[in-house]
Amino acid sequence: MSEVFEGYERQYCEESASLSRKCTVASALDGEKKKQRLSEIQSGVQEAESLIRRMDLEARNTPPSVKAGLLAKLREYKSDLNNLKSELKRISAPNARQTTKEELLESGMADTLAVSTDQRGRLMMTTERLNQSTDRIKESRRTMLETEELGVSILQDLHQQRQSLLHAHDTLHGVDDNVGKSKKILSAMSKRMDRNKWIIGGIISALVVAILIILYFKLAH
């Protein structure tokens, strides 16, 4: 269903219920108070007519799958509005308070009022359902906002974890560099130790040869 149509429908139901209460009050008034109340009712009826026209226009611009249902509702609202107008006309008459129940029955007004009351009851139920739908929409929006906040929190945590991993990667890269340098130092030290071994071996060999020569000359003499 069109959200725009639902908005107009909610406004009309509230306006219709308000007009019904005002008509009940006005029927018991006299003089200026009654004139003032009737003026308020007339303005409310005009506003209701405006809402009916808006709903009619919106319903005719909806897809065929939902148009029939909206137009059926609209017919009920138009009938309700006609009953309100009849009620306004009745209580606006000079002898409205003296009109008897028998006269209303003869004119068929009693049946009209009964139908109007039933329709207003349905309108009130529709208003309640619309309010419940509005509450569910608000709850859905609240849940969506909470989900969005949770998503943002998760993204922030993931960003922090990514930064931690990048920092760990940089640390490991530094350790690799240090290990590489250590390998080079150890390799240089190993080469130096091998060279020193050869030098020491040469010196020992020279000393051994010198000792042998000395012993030879001593033994020869």
Side-chain angles (χ1 to χ4, degrees), residues 99-106 110:
T99 302
T100 62
K101 183 177 179 180
E102 289 75 16
E103 290 172 341
L104 290 175
L105 290 173
E106 291 175 0

Side-chain angles (χ1 to χ4, degrees), residues 155-173:
L155 288 176
Q156 290 176 347
D157 291 340
L158 291 175
H159 178 71
Q160 292 176 356
Q161 293 176 5
R162 179 176 180 274
Q163 293 298 114
S164 299
L165 291 173
L166 289 175
H167 179 68
H169 179 268
D170 293 339
T171 302
L172 290 174
H173 183 70

Side-chain angles (χ1 to χ4, degrees), residues 15-202:
E15 186 68 36
S16 175
S18 176
L19 288 173
S20 178
R21 290 192 297 268
K22 289 179 180 179
C23 286
T24 302
V25 173
S27 63
L29 297 177
D30 286 319
E32 291 299 324
K33 290 184 177 180
K34 182 173 184 178
K35 290 181 180 179
Q36 182 179 359
R37 184 67 66 172
L38 291 176
S39 177
E40 293 176 2
I41 296 172
Q42 184 63 41
S43 298
V45 168
Q46 292 175 356
E47 177 63 22
E49 289 177 334
S50 176
L51 290 170
I52 288 290
R53 288 194 296 270
R54 295 175 192 172
M55 282 192 286
D56 192 2
L57 180 61
E58 184 65 25
R60 296 183 187 282
N61 290 329
T62 54
S65 58
V66 297
K67 180 185 293 186
L70 297 182
L71 291 177
K73 282 188 174 185
L74 193 58
R75 284 193 294 271
E76 290 188 7
Y77 296 148
K78 288 180 178 179
S79 175
D80 177 74
L81 181 60
N82 288 332
N83 291 335
L84 286 172
K85 289 179 179 179
S86 298
E87 179 70 5
L88 175 61
K89 183 177 180 180
R90 185 186 69 82
I91 63 178
S92 299
N95 59 342
R97 295 190 65 183
Q98 287 74 31
T99 302
T100 62
K101 183 177 179 180
E102 289 75 16
E103 290 172 341
L104 290 175
L105 290 173
E106 291 175 0
S107 63
M109 185 61 71
D111 292 337
T112 301
L113 290 175
V115 173
S116 178
T117 301
D118 182 63
Q119 287 179 339
R120 291 192 186 97
R122 291 199 299 271
L123 289 175
M124 292 298 294
M125 293 177 61
T126 301
T127 301
E128 184 177 355
R129 288 196 297 269
L130 290 173
N131 290 333
Q132 292 175 353
S133 299
T134 301
D135 292 339
R136 286 195 295 269
I137 291 173
K138 290 180 179 179
E139 181 66 20
S140 298
R141 288 178 178 174
R142 186 181 64 81
T143 303
M144 182 178 64
L145 290 175
E146 291 178 352
T147 304
E148 183 179 355
E149 291 176 356
L150 179 61
V152 171
S153 177
I154 292 174
L155 288 176
Q156 290 176 347
D157 291 340
L158 291 175
H159 178 71
Q160 292 176 356
Q161 293 176 5
R162 179 176 180 274
Q163 293 298 114
S164 299
L165 291 173
L166 289 175
H167 179 68
H169 179 268
D170 293 339
T171 302
L172 290 174
H173 183 70
V175 171
D176 289 340
D177 292 341
N178 293 332
V179 171
K181 292 179 181 179
S182 298
K183 286 182 178 180
K184 291 180 180 179
I185 293 173
L186 290 173
S187 178
M189 291 176 64
S190 177
K191 290 179 180 179
R192 190 177 297 112
M193 289 176 65
D194 290 340
R195 186 169 60 253
N196 290 339
K197 286 179 181 180
W198 282 106
I199 293 172
I200 293 171

